[in-house]
Amino acid sequence: MVGAGMIGAIHRRAAALAGARITGVLASSPPRSARVAAEWQVPAYPSLDALLEDDSVDVVHICSPNATHAPFAMRALAAGKHVVCEKPLAVSVADAERMAETARRSGLVAAVPFVYRYHPLVREIRARRIDGEFGGWHLIHGSYLQDWMLSPQASGWRVDPAAGGPSRAFADIGSHWCDLVEWVSGERFAEVTASTSIAVDKRPAASSRTFAAADSPDLSSEYMDVRTEDCAALLLRTASGVLASTTVSQVSAGRKNRLWFELDGARASAVFDQENPETIWLGGEDGARVISRDPGHGSAEQRRLSVLPPGHAQGYAECFEAFVADTYAAIGGDRPEGLPTFDDGLRAARITEAVLRSSRNGSWTEV
């Protein structure tokens, strides 16, 4: 495990539940590595070199700040390790292209945790689309809203472009929305016109450590100018001509993690809300109905991923666990449906770059 912040702990739990032995952790500094290693009851690696030289390591989970993803992943692949790399895959399209190409040539498994694909009812909507239940799409719309950056005192390495990259809100969460909607709908976004905004123009500076920034930030009394977006509004058009729109925000009070989409088809519509993942709304001209997750009904993938009985809520943690389990199954030679790879991370990098270009030039921009 490289990185020991919130997401690193989630990776570690999912890996353990999938049957992995955690060989060790490398955090942002030797003291932090030692503290986390004691908490997790695993060894602490003194350096990335030591980790990659460990022959007992099969898979490297990269959960460090965004700017480190490309160099760390490339080194891990060169060392013959399978890689699970957090998104965004890289802070530039060029780096993401090199990573995806290297992963393809290596024959190793290289996965990116677009884990919302693993909600059972997301799979149900996708299966119904493949079966033709909705007809051709007329309109795609939705949003991804959070409020964790609402306070002017909220900050961290993600605010600094040197550590987090040139996009914050869109690269962090808008990329999830686009990946999920493309995968479920079968559409591909071909062009976008976008506008971004900064709601809070100064935030506390995060002290810099190893990894270019801390995985658990120490905030100083000094303030820095904010150069990455808090909000983004997108109008998109798919390759087949379907119109789409989405709003992305990290400053929407009361919205903790609301990834929401609606797919409106010629015969029926479907709605999914990540904060209420146990049901989906299906609309038809003669009315609407709500479908609940149920391992005894629905598509094969919905049943496979429903690990709890009906009425016993599943959520984000189970999605992450299923993603990691599928990654390890792929390492073992299986071909699990919908496993997001470095190619999907590259796709997200290209959409992010198009959003930033469009926001700068104020015009429709090809992805």
Side-chain angles (χ1 to χ4, degrees), residues 10 13-14 17 114-122 257 272-279 293 305-309 311-323:
I10 291 172
R13 180 178 185 274
L17 288 171
F114 286 121
V115 298
Y116 298 121
R117 293 185 181 194
Y118 282 85
H119 279 296
L121 289 177
V122 161
N257 198 52
F272 175 76
D273 179 355
Q274 200 279 147
E275 288 189 337
N276 297 286
E278 288 286 270
T279 61
R293 182 188 61 80
L305 295 173
S306 290
V307 296
L308 296 175
H312 298 74
Q314 287 186 210
Y316 176 80
E318 286 80 10
C319 288
F320 219 103
E321 291 156 16
F323 158 73

Side-chain angles (χ1 to χ4, degrees), residues 290-310:
V290 174
I291 303 294
S292 297
R293 182 188 61 80
D294 187 343
H297 298 87
S299 67
E301 279 293 286
Q302 192 266 137
R303 296 182 187 210
R304 177 177 80 90
L305 295 173
S306 290
V307 296
L308 296 175

Side-chain angles (χ1 to χ4, degrees), residues 250-289:
Q250 293 181 326
V251 289
S252 294
R255 296 299 190 187
K256 301 306 176 184
N257 198 52
R258 190 176 188 264
L259 188 166
W260 182 96
F261 68 75
E262 178 165 337
L263 309 176
D264 296 332
R267 289 194 291 273
S269 298
V271 171
F272 175 76
D273 179 355
Q274 200 279 147
E275 288 189 337
N276 297 286
E278 288 286 270
T279 61
I280 52 175
W281 180 95
L282 300 176
E285 194 173 8
D286 58 349
R289 57 194 173 125

Side-chain angles (χ1 to χ4, degrees), residues 154-174:
S155 194
W157 61 260
R158 287 178 175 84
V159 178
D160 181 2
S167 172
R168 176 167 34 95
F170 186 82
D172 189 21
I173 60 177

Side-chain angles (χ1 to χ4, degrees), residues 151-200:
S151 169
Q153 298 305 307
S155 194
W157 61 260
R158 287 178 175 84
V159 178
D160 181 2
S167 172
R168 176 167 34 95
F170 186 82
D172 189 21
I173 60 177
S175 59
H176 268 299
W177 189 93
C178 289
D179 174 81
L180 187 64
V181 167
E182 285 195 330
W183 188 70
V184 173
S185 72
E187 295 287 332
R188 297 279 278 184
F189 298 127
E191 53 182 344
V192 60
T193 181
S195 184
T196 63
S197 65
I198 295 171
V200 179

Side-chain angles (χ1 to χ4, degrees), residues 56-123:
S56 71
V57 173
D58 299 308
V59 189
V60 179
H61 287 247
I62 298 173
C63 315
S64 47
N66 302 343
T68 67
H69 292 177
F72 288 4
M74 292 291 278
R75 289 187 61 190
L77 290 169
K81 313 296 187 184
H82 304 284
V83 177
V84 178
C85 183
E86 265 299 329
K87 31 92 349 226
L89 183 62
V91 296
S92 73
V93 170
D95 280 345
E97 288 174 341
R98 284 191 288 271
M99 295 166 76
E101 176 61 23
T102 299
R104 286 191 294 269
R105 289 200 314 266
S106 73
L108 298 164
V109 173
V112 178
F114 286 121
V115 298
Y116 298 121
R117 293 185 181 194
Y118 282 85
H119 279 296
L121 289 177
V122 161
R123 302 278 172 137

Side-chain angles (χ1 to χ4, degrees), residues 195-266:
S195 184
T196 63
S197 65
I198 295 171
V200 179
D201 60 5
K202 290 185 181 295
R203 293 187 183 273
S207 64
S208 180
R209 307 181 201 164
T210 315
F211 287 175
D215 45 18
S216 289
D218 292 332
L219 301 181
S220 72
S221 58
E222 297 181 0
Y223 280 72
M224 59 181 173
D225 292 331
V226 176
R227 292 176 286 158
T228 54
E229 78 281 357
D230 292 304
C231 309
L234 282 64
L235 188 63
L236 306 113
R237 190 176 289 115
T238 73
S240 66
V242 178
L243 198 62
S245 66
T246 190
T247 303
V248 175
S249 169
Q250 293 181 326
V251 289
S252 294
R255 296 299 190 187
K256 301 306 176 184
N257 198 52
R258 190 176 188 264
L259 188 166
W260 182 96
F261 68 75
E262 178 165 337
L263 309 176
D264 296 332

